[in-house]
């Protein structure tokens, strides 16, 4: 019997070995996978037990966690929810998160690598885990001005400090109140989320970085830069001044916005074409230069780059492999060109900064609960699309466009403003996309801005960038100058 | 060492090892020499330590889940402590040489179980008589009282051999009770409960002890006919057709438990117990081959015919499939249990600081997932080690015992504990399909506590007998 008993003992031992192995597999090897399963409520609950870090603007919280008495220890609160919804995004029970709440989640929740020791320390000492706070580069005055100026239009405003790339304002409309998504009831969250998803104008999308529109005439900054710098054409280089340009190899034609020629005379200079925002000379320039100089310049300005600010920015596109007709269209911002408002603001910012394009960024510093700085912002150069000479030429052209060209609604008394409008077509019968981008003061730029009014600002195909977008930009620039 | 039917010799060095010769009883006239009860003193020391650990666990649960400690620690911790110390005192008088580890291990598992059940009570805001933990303490009282009764009444385990067929009758009645119309009750699809007044009881839990007694008695008397004759096939001697009776009866019994009571775990437990005991008794691997084959065949057929068996297999194999996860009777509980275990990780969230209550039946079928979440892999390993130690003490009795009935009973009783652990923990951790049994000593439920504490009583009695056998002086 003893021999059998031994064998049974071995079987029992093996049964327990199987249990040791299975629990080790689950609790050690698969633990991370299981924790990241979307159905795992424990992971979400755990994040609500942490005092999530605050998101700060000018030292004031625009998102913070306050203690509660319900089953979760903290409630997320957004004191000016709608004003900053494009920046903070939302943080929900069950429906994920977005924007800063998502892209800096590791820091806010205290689980980033740089907070590991701190986390361990709090675990051992029995304190509740606490996340790091994030100080943004947003200027509350400019943000408020941009929010008010955009009013009830569907669109976006983004402002950048040209010398550093710090983002000073980020507004997207229609907006939403993140507080309505921060409630501690999954069904309410789901209902609100679904209704926001279905709402007209996509309020949950941050249009400053995630909405791609044809850039229209704002792209003439790229085309003109390419002509002056990459193709080495003088600013008084001329093109035939036509009222209609047949597209090569096609029966379509291109016309200028006003329908006639570009100013007087048989020939038109690059400068005039830019200031008056004429399509035909730009199209002719594009075909004359060829694709390469244009594509190189677009790339240097940031088209085709994958940016994080730290949210992921949709990639703006200048297409390649174009025939002459497409090349002509792309040269004045139509065809397959698409850009985010941030990209358009970067055009102005590079011109304003003497040709150096700084990497745009929304975060000044990340601060641990013990006030030590985990990360701080350093200005970084993204590229140098323009020489200082070309930059100052472009700057002059943009000032003239505002002073007595196609962008007159952006004028500010006593300050020289540089600007460029855009009125982009989206297709047969569709409302236009209305643009303005510029900076001020032109001699010592402090703010660069891009405004987009989508859906024609409600005017279908009768609105223009100068009419609707330029006044919004003016108020944003004024707010920036009043500082 | 020895062959199956040869003289029974225990491994060297084990106390109480001897031969199968009849043990002379101490003469009446000889004055008993008073010796210090070394084993009992060790047991007392361990018990005091265990009681401190149990009370500490309850306090930790309170601080973790409530943020403060109140008087509950006295009802939960002290109640159990008084009971197990009472049992210890009983042992000092009637079983001085019983194994010193069995009682502390059972007390520790029981106490940790109560702390974790109490933790779920807090999450579900149950207090007073609603509280499962309070009821668990009461049931522990009943169970430990019965265990003390076992030790007091059964002064020599060999009397049980006389009741071999009565044990069979008792097991059959207990098994049939839930099928009766008035008192029988179906919970979560399984008809294994009886309901009397406010109390629910699972008679099948106690039936396993009666079955172990019956198997031990029956196999000791019939082992020769079951092992000696038969035809050799593939290097193994298979039993004659007419000796297949018992295993076929047990197989039929298990299958009817699966079909009529819809309880896979219990069926597997009974059949596994029988197969192991017949193997130990006869030393013939062919019984194991036959038994496993029969059970697998039955299981496969049941999987084809019975929806609930098929569901268990699907849930096991494809637990994370969203369709199966969302289905009624799908893998929701299994997956949530895995999430709980993962949440615990290596060292656990700490008592009272996880969210084990998300998993359905976190205090009974899934208590091991609750323990794993709050005490982590480290805690589970400790629990497994305790079970292994408990089982090994039982096996030790079998190794050292001198009568075949006692040896078989010892291995049967310890093996049920081992198999039950494997079936339920293996089910929770996806080693085998989930079948729903209770984790011995820990899970909420009176029937399981009563059954396992009776096993404690029997093992203590057996171990005392083993040590009291004087060595044969040659």
């Amino acid at each position: 019997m003893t021999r059998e008993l031994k064998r049974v003992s071995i079987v029992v031992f093996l049964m327990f070995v199987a249990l040791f192995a299975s629990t080790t597999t689950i609790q050690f090897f698969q633990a991370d996978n299981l924790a990241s399963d979307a159905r795992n409520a424990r992971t979400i609950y755990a994040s609500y037990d942490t005092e999530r870090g605050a998101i700060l603007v000018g030292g004031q919280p625009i998102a913070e966690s306050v203690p509660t008495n319900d089953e979760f220890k903290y409630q997320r609160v957004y004191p000016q929810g709608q004003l900053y919804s494009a920046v903070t995004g939302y943080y929900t029970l069950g429906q994920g998160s977005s924007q800063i709440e998502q892209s800096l989640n590791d820091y806010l929740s205290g689980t980033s690598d740089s907070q590991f020791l701190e986390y361990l320390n709090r675990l051992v000492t029995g304190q509740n885990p606490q996340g790091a706070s994030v100080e943004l580069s947003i200027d509350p005055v400019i943000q408020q001005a941009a929010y008010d100026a955009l009013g009830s239009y569907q669109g976006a405003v983004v402002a950048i400090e040209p010398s550093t790339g710090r983002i000073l304002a980020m507004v997207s409309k229609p907006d939403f109140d993140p507080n309505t998504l921060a409630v501690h009831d999954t069904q309410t969250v789901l209902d609100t989320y679904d209704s926001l998803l279905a709402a007209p104008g996509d309020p949950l999308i941050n249009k400053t970085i995630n909405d791609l529109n044809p850039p229209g005439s704002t792209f003439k900054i790229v085309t003109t830069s390419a002509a002056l710098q990459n193709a080495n054409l003088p600013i008084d280089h001329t093109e035939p001044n036509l009222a209609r340009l047949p597209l090569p190899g096609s029966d379509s034609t291109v016309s200028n916005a006003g329908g006639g020629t570009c100013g007087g005379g048989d020939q038109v200079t690059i400068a005039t074409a830019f200031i008056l925002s004429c399509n035909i000379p730009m199209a002719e320039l594009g075909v004359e230069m060829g694709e390469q100089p244009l594509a190189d310049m677009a790339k240097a300005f940031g088209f085709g780059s994958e940016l994080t600010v730290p949210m992921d920015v949709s990639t703006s596109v200048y297409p390649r492999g174009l025939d002459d007709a497409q090349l002509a269209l792309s040269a004045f911002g139509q065809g397959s060109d698409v850009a985010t408002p941030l990209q358009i603001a970067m055009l102005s910012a590079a011109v304003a900064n003497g040709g150096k394009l700084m990497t745009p960024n929304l975060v000044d510093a990340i601060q641990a609960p013990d006030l030590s700085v985990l990360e701080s912002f350093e200005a970084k150069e993204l590229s140098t699309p323009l020489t200082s000479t070309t930059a100052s030429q472009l700057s002059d052209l943009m000032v003239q466009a505002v002073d007595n060209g196609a962008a007159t609604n952006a004028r500010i008394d006593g300050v020289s403003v540089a600007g460029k409008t855009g009125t982009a077509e989206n297709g047969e019968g569709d409302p236009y996309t209305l643009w303005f981008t510029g900076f001020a003061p032109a001699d010592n730029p402090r703010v660069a801005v891009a405004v987009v009014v989508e859906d024609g600002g409600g005017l279908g195909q009768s609105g223009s960038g100068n009419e609707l977008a330029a006044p919004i930009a003016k108020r944003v620039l004024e707010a920036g100058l009043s500082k | 060492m020895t062959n199956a039917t040869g003289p029974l010799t225990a491994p060297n060095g084990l106390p109480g090892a001897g031969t199968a010769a009849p043990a002379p009883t101490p003469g009446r006239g000889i004055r008993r020499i008073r010796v210090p009860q070394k084993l009992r003193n060790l047991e007392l020391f361990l018990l005091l330590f265990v009681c401190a650990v149990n009370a500490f666990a309850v306090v930790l649960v309170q601080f973790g889940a409530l943020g403060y400690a109140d008087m509950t620690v006295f009802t939960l911790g002290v109640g159990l402590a008084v009971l197990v110390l009472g049992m210890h005192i009983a042992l000092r008088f009637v079983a001085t040489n019983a194994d010193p580890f069995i009682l502390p291990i059972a007390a520790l598992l029981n106490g940790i179980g109560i702390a974790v059940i109490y933790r779920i009570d807090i999450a579900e805001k149950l207090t007073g008589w609603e509280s499962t933990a309070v009821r668990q303490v009461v049931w522990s009282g009943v169970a430990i009282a019965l265990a003390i009764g076992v030790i007091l009444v059964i002064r020599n385990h060999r009397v049980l051999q006389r009741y071999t067929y009565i044990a069979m009758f008792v097991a059959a009645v207990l098994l049939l009770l839930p099928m009766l119309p008035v008192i029988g009750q179906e919970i979560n699809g399984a008809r294994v409960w009886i309901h009397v007044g406010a109390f629910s009881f699972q008679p099948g839990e106690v039936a396993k002890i009666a079955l172990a007694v019956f198997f031990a008695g029956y196999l000791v008397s019939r082992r020769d006919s079951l092992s000696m004759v038969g035809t050799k096939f593939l290097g193994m001697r298979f039993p004659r057709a007419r000796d297949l009776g018992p295993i076929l009866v047990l197989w039929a019994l298990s299958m009817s438990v699966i079909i009529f009571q819809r309880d896979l775990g219990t069926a597997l437990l009974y059949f596994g117990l029988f197969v192991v005991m017949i193997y130990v008794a006869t030393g013939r691997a062919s019984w194991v081959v036959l038994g496993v084959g029969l059970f697998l065949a039955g299981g496969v057929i049941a999987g084809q015919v019975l929806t609930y068996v098929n569901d268990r297999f699907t849930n096991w194999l494809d637990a994370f499939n969203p369709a199966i996860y969302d289905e009624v009777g799908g893998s929701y509980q299994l997956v949530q249990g895995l999430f709980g275990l993962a949440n615990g990780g290596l060292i656990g969230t700490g008592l009272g600081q996880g969210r084990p209550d998300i998993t359905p039946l976190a205090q009974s079928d899934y208590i091991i997932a609750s323990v794993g979440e709050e005490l982590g892999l480290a805690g589970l390993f400790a629990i497994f080690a305790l079970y292994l130690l408990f089982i090994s003490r039982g096996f030790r009795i079998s190794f050292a015992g001198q009568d075949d009935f006692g040896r078989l009973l010892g291995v049967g009783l310890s093996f049920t504990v081992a198999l039950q652990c494997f079936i339920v923990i293996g089910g929770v951790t996806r080693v085998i399909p989930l079948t729903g049994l209770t984790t011995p000593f820990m899970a909420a439920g009176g029937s399981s506590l009563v059954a396992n504490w009776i096993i404690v009583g029997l093992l203590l009695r057996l171990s005392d007998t083993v040590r009291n056998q004087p060595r044969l002086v040659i």
Side-chain angles (χ1 to χ4, degrees):
Chain A
M1 216 184 254
T2 306
R3 187 185 54 158
E4 286 74 35
L5 276 171
K6 276 188 176 172
R7 288 188 180 157
V8 173
S9 311
I10 292 169
V11 168
V12 168
F13 181 71
L14 289 179
M15 290 188 326
F16 273 83
V17 167
L19 298 182
F20 279 112
S22 66
T23 43
T24 308
T25 310
I26 295 165
Q27 301 199 276
F28 183 69
F29 294 108
Q30 294 177 347
D32 288 345
N33 266 339
L34 289 168
S36 59
D37 191 298
R39 292 169 290 194
N40 192 342
R42 285 177 177 83
T43 307
I44 301 158
Y45 286 131
S47 68
Y48 274 76
D49 285 348
T50 304
E51 184 177 353
R52 194 173 170 80
I55 303 175
L56 305 164
V57 161
Q60 297 299 312
I62 59 168
E64 62 182 324
S65 289
V66 296
T68 55
N69 294 321
D70 63 10
E71 63 174 315
F72 305 99
K73 291 185 183 141
Y74 294 96
Q75 166 76 51
R76 196 74 168 155
V77 175
Y78 302 87
Q80 301 173 82
Q82 288 175 287
L83 174 60
Y84 289 103
S85 64
V87 180
T88 59
Y90 52 82
Y91 184 73
T92 67
L93 200 56
Q95 299 305 312
S97 54
S98 71
Q99 309 306 331
I100 290 287
E101 291 280 32
Q102 181 191 38
S103 55
L104 294 181
N105 180 53
D106 283 359
Y107 288 104
L108 291 167
S109 62
T111 54
S112 72
D113 292 345
S114 53
Q115 284 153 281
F116 182 71
L117 289 179
E118 163 79 14
Y119 173 81
L120 215 59
N121 183 33
R122 285 180 167 264
L123 191 77
V124 172
T125 56
Q127 293 166 287
N128 282 330
Q130 198 178 354
S133 59
V134 174
E135 174 78 47
L136 299 182
S137 57
I138 297 283
D139 181 318
V141 175
I142 303 178
Q143 176 81 6
Q144 186 71 52
Y147 184 83
D148 294 342
L150 191 56
S152 57
Y153 292 128
Q154 173 184 326
V157 178
V158 59
I160 304 179
E161 187 171 70
S163 57
T164 58
R166 293 169 72 237
I167 295 175
L168 301 173
M170 181 177 262
V171 173
S172 174
K173 291 214 176 170
D175 54 38
F176 67 98
D177 185 354
N179 290 304
T180 61
L181 286 169
V183 293
H184 289 170
D185 176 73
T186 44
Q187 193 54 47
T188 313
V189 170
L190 182 63
D191 292 345
T192 313
Y193 183 75
D194 283 343
S195 69
L196 283 169
L197 268 190
D202 294 330
L204 293 181
I205 294 197
N206 179 355
K207 296 185 173 59
T208 59
I209 56 173
N210 293 126
D211 221 10
L212 292 163
N213 269 302
S217 301
T218 57
F219 192 78
K220 287 169 187 166
I221 297 174
V222 180
T223 309
T224 306
S225 302
L228 298 181
Q229 186 165 299
N230 292 358
N232 273 320
L233 298 173
I235 199 164
D236 52 6
H237 172 83
T238 57
E239 296 288 344
N241 191 1
L242 309 173
R244 269 190 129 55
L245 174 72
L247 283 176
S250 144
D251 40 9
S252 316
T253 57
V254 173
S255 54
N256 292 321
T261 57
C262 192
D266 297 337
Q267 297 282 315
V268 57
T269 62
I270 295 177
T272 307
F274 184 92
I275 293 163
L276 298 180
S277 194
C278 303
N279 294 338
I280 291 172
M282 288 292 163
E284 291 169 325
L285 252 181
V287 177
E288 182 182 330
M289 286 189 288
E291 183 183 283
Q292 200 58 44
L294 265 175
D296 288 348
M297 186 52 75
K299 185 169 177 240
F301 269 117
F303 281 80
S305 306
E306 288 179 3
L307 293 172
T308 51
V309 293
M311 299 90 99
D312 287 338
V313 179
S314 302
T315 306
S316 301
V317 179
Y318 179 77
R320 304 296 303 262
L322 304 174
D323 62 26
D324 279 357
Q326 292 164 329
L327 190 57
L329 287 172
S330 75
F332 59 96
Q334 295 287 165
S336 313
D337 304 1
V338 282
T340 58
L342 179 69
Q343 173 61 61
I344 299 306
M346 285 158 68
L347 300 181
S348 287
V351 173
N353 195 37
K356 277 187 193 154
L357 177 58
M358 307 307 288
T359 308
N361 196 355
L362 194 53
V363 178
D364 272 353
I366 298 174
Q367 210 170 42
D370 64 358
L371 303 183
S372 66
V373 174
L374 297 173
E375 295 219 344
S376 62
F377 171 76
E378 278 170 49
K380 270 203 313 266
E381 202 178 308
L382 181 68
S383 61
T384 311
L386 306 174
T387 63
S388 58
T389 322
T390 324
S392 86
Q393 282 179 314
L394 252 297
S395 177
D396 284 348
L397 291 177
M398 287 171 76
V399 169
Q400 290 183 56
V402 172
D403 282 350
N404 43 33
T408 49
N409 283 337
R411 284 183 202 149
I412 300 171
D413 284 347
V415 181
S416 71
V417 176
K420 182 76 202 78
T421 55
T423 304
E425 295 179 16
N426 286 296
E428 196 78 38
D430 289 341
Y432 290 160
T433 300
L434 311 175
W435 289 97
F436 180 91
T437 182
F439 54 90
D443 45 359
N444 178 27
R446 286 173 21 206
V447 185
V449 69
V451 175
V452 64
V453 176
E454 293 181 355
D455 205 25
L459 298 177
Q461 298 198 332
S462 60
S464 74
N466 192 33
E467 186 187 346
L468 294 181
I472 297 170
K474 175 188 167 184
R475 287 175 60 185
V476 176
L477 292 173
E478 279 174 339
L481 299 176
S482 72
K483 300 283 294 178
Chain B
M1 296 298 277
T2 59
N3 64 44
T5 52
L8 299 162
T9 314
N12 295 333
L14 285 172
T19 66
T25 44
R28 224 165 250 268
I30 302 169
R31 215 174 112 235
R32 192 176 275 204
I33 305 161
R34 188 157 175 79
V35 288
Q37 296 192 351
K38 278 188 185 166
L39 294 174
R40 299 277 68 77
N41 290 343
L42 172 60
E43 183 179 77
L44 178 63
F45 170 76
L46 289 174
L47 272 180
L48 290 174
F49 175 69
V50 160
C51 291
V53 170
N54 287 345
F56 188 57
V58 173
V59 173
L60 280 182
V61 164
Q62 292 190 322
F63 276 115
L66 296 170
Y68 58 85
D70 62 20
M71 292 296 116
T72 317
V73 63
F74 289 102
T75 32
L76 297 181
V78 176
L80 185 66
V82 167
L83 289 166
V84 294
L85 288 171
M87 185 150 176
H88 164 75
I89 291 167
L91 290 176
R92 279 192 179 260
F93 288 101
V94 298
T96 47
N97 284 319
D99 189 287
F101 294 105
I102 291 177
L103 180 59
I105 292 171
L108 182 55
L109 290 169
N110 199 343
I112 299 284
I114 287 171
V116 174
I117 293 166
Y118 174 53
R119 191 262 167 279
I120 311 288
D121 282 346
I122 292 176
E124 292 176 354
K125 301 191 169 57
L126 300 172
T127 50
W129 274 111
E130 287 288 295
S131 161
T132 321
V134 171
R135 275 185 280 149
Q136 182 83 345
V137 171
V138 173
W139 271 117
S140 303
V142 174
I144 294 171
L146 283 171
I148 296 174
V150 164
I151 293 176
L152 292 177
V153 173
I154 304 171
R155 291 303 182 92
N156 187 334
H157 67 264
R158 288 193 208 188
V159 297
L160 289 172
Q161 197 172 353
R162 281 187 232 153
Y163 301 117
T164 299
Y165 289 92
I166 290 177
M168 179 192 76
F169 180 72
V170 168
V173 168
L174 285 172
L175 270 175
L176 287 174
L177 276 179
M179 305 309 290
L180 293 180
V182 180
I183 54 172
Q185 196 188 17
E186 188 169 315
I187 297 178
N188 296 329
R191 197 175 176 88
V192 293
W193 301 80
I194 56 168
H195 200 78
V196 183
F199 289 96
S200 292
F201 200 80
Q202 238 178 307
E205 288 273 3
V206 183
K208 70 188 178 188
I209 301 171
L211 278 176
V213 171
F214 164 61
F215 293 158
Y218 174 82
L219 291 169
V220 163
S221 60
R222 296 290 302 279
R223 53 192 282 189
D224 289 347
S225 68
L226 293 173
S227 65
M228 302 299 278
V229 284
T231 41
K232 226 173 154 91
F233 180 67
L234 291 176
M236 269 186 281
R237 193 172 291 280
F238 278 85
R240 292 176 305 183
R242 67 180 200 223
D243 290 327
L244 286 176
I247 201 166
L248 289 177
V249 167
L250 251 294
W251 182 75
L253 173 79
S254 303
M255 287 302 134
S256 39
V257 168
I258 292 179
I259 295 165
F260 298 112
Q261 304 196 328
R262 297 161 58 84
D263 188 357
L264 274 174
T266 304
L268 184 55
L269 184 68
Y270 292 166
F271 201 71
L273 174 64
F274 178 72
V275 167
V276 162
M277 287 182 74
I278 199 171
Y279 169 70
V280 173
T282 63
R284 294 265 293 268
S286 57
W287 285 111
V288 177
V289 173
L290 269 173
V292 172
L294 275 172
F295 197 85
L296 282 182
V300 168
I301 294 169
Q304 304 287 324
V305 180
L306 300 169
T307 330
Y308 90 96
V309 180
N310 189 23
D311 283 354
R312 295 289 173 90
F313 273 92
T314 326
N315 292 349
W316 175 50
L317 293 172
D318 202 7
F320 286 91
N321 184 330
I324 293 168
Y325 175 81
D326 290 327
E327 207 178 320
V328 175
S331 60
Y332 175 82
Q333 184 188 28
L334 185 62
V335 169
Q336 286 302 327
L338 295 177
F339 286 160
L341 286 170
N343 190 30
L346 288 179
I347 53 167
T349 58
L351 277 172
Q353 301 189 318
R355 292 186 178 268
D357 52 302
I358 294 175
T359 313
L361 297 180
Q363 73 283 39
S364 54
D365 288 19
Y366 262 72
I367 193 152
I368 212 72
S370 309
V371 173
E373 179 166 357
E374 301 209 322
L375 294 177
L377 186 62
L380 279 188
F381 272 29
I383 300 274
F384 294 170
L386 286 174
Y387 279 119
L388 265 177
L389 196 56
F390 182 89
I391 296 156
S392 73
R393 298 315 283 187
F395 275 44
R396 222 181 101 120
I397 293 163
S398 299
F399 275 118
Q402 290 162 359
D403 67 302
D404 285 355
F405 175 77
R407 299 184 82 183
L408 266 180
L409 187 58
V411 73
L413 292 175
S414 346
F415 188 75
T416 52
V417 175
L419 188 57
Q420 195 161 348
C421 284
F422 178 72
I423 292 172
V424 62
I425 304 173
V428 169
T429 58
R430 278 183 95 198
V431 176
I432 56 169
L434 187 66
T435 54
L437 271 182
T438 53
T439 313
F441 301 111
M442 299 188 82
S447 28
S448 172
L449 275 180
V450 165
N452 287 301
W453 274 104
I454 290 177
I455 290 178
V456 167
L458 287 172
L459 288 179
L460 286 170
R461 170 53 67 209
L462 284 169
S463 66
D464 182 56
T465 316
V466 166
R467 281 209 175 80
N468 270 331
Q469 309 279 2
R471 282 166 183 278
L472 189 68
V473 182
I474 301 173

